[in-house]
Amino acid sequence: MTVEALRRGEPEVLAELLDQHGREIQGVAYLILRNASDAEDVLMDTLIAALERGSSLRDATALRRWLLKIATNVALGRQRRSRRVTWLQVTPDMPGPAIDAAEHVALVQALAALPIRSRAAVVLHYYADLPVADVATVLGTSQNTVKTQLRTGLARLRESLDTSVVLGTHAESTNG
């Protein structure tokens, strides 16, 4: 129902998209931009763009990936335009492994220090849980480039973080 309503450009679908995908879109945007206000703007811009371009969505099963691609492109565009540095002290409540506040702040700061494309790859793969192929599609690059960005990004994160911060079990998936 959601995809068909989106294809027809029905504004009522925005509430459903917000309910189903809003938190993840905003989380991805937040981790890329490191600014809660900008992440909210990206969420709204993404939903509006999805409504405007809904007729171009061919594969109903790719809705999530399509929305994340729009959100990532909007966030990267906003980052290019603003070029401002914002250091975060507090992050929104996001699902994930239980780590203490100091480790969480250290992780967010280390993530913020990554180059923007590497940061986007890490966020899409580890936070949004997209496979490498989907990250490549979202970023408009090759899978090998994404794998390199992930490997480099994780190496930099590991250098920046105390060894007690665990990034999850996805690290093995970037090697194959």
Side-chain angles (χ1 to χ4, degrees), residues 40-106:
E40 289 174 6
D41 290 344
V42 168
L43 171 60
M44 292 301 119
D45 291 347
T46 298
L47 294 178
I48 290 168
L51 185 63
E52 291 171 352
R53 301 181 210 156
S55 61
S56 70
L57 179 60
R58 301 287 177 236
D59 181 6
T61 62
L63 175 63
R64 177 177 172 260
R65 183 177 66 221
W66 183 71
L67 290 170
L68 288 173
K69 180 176 184 167
I70 293 171
T72 301
N73 288 336
V74 170
L76 291 174
R78 182 176 281 273
Q79 175 70 19
R80 276 190 298 273
R81 284 188 302 277
S82 69
R83 296 286 184 206
R84 62 188 164 145
V85 176
T86 304
W87 287 99
L88 252 299
Q89 296 304 318
V90 180
T91 59
D93 184 27
M94 291 183 234
I99 58 175
D100 71 38
E103 289 174 337
H104 187 75
V105 169

Side-chain angles (χ1 to χ4, degrees), residues 7-8 30 50 60 62 69 80-81 138 145 150 162-163 166:
R7 287 179 180 155
R8 290 189 300 270
Y30 176 80
K69 180 176 184 167
R80 276 190 298 273
R81 284 188 302 277
V138 168
T145 298
L150 291 172
D162 183 53
T163 57
V166 178

Side-chain angles (χ1 to χ4, degrees), residues 103-167:
E103 289 174 337
H104 187 75
V105 169
L107 177 60
V108 170
Q109 288 178 337
L111 190 60
L114 293 178
I116 188 72
R117 301 283 295 178
S118 292
R119 185 181 331 137
V122 169
V123 167
L124 289 169
H125 186 64
Y126 294 101
Y127 175 78
D129 203 28
L130 289 181
V132 170
D134 289 351
V135 174
T137 300
V138 168
L139 294 177
T141 190
S142 73
Q143 290 185 39
N144 286 336
T145 298
V146 169
K147 288 177 184 179
T148 300
Q149 289 170 331
L150 291 172
R151 203 169 13 261
T152 304
L154 288 178
R156 286 186 178 183
L157 287 174
R158 284 186 186 111
E159 288 173 9
S160 299
L161 299 173
D162 183 53
T163 57
S164 63
V165 175
V166 178
L167 295 176

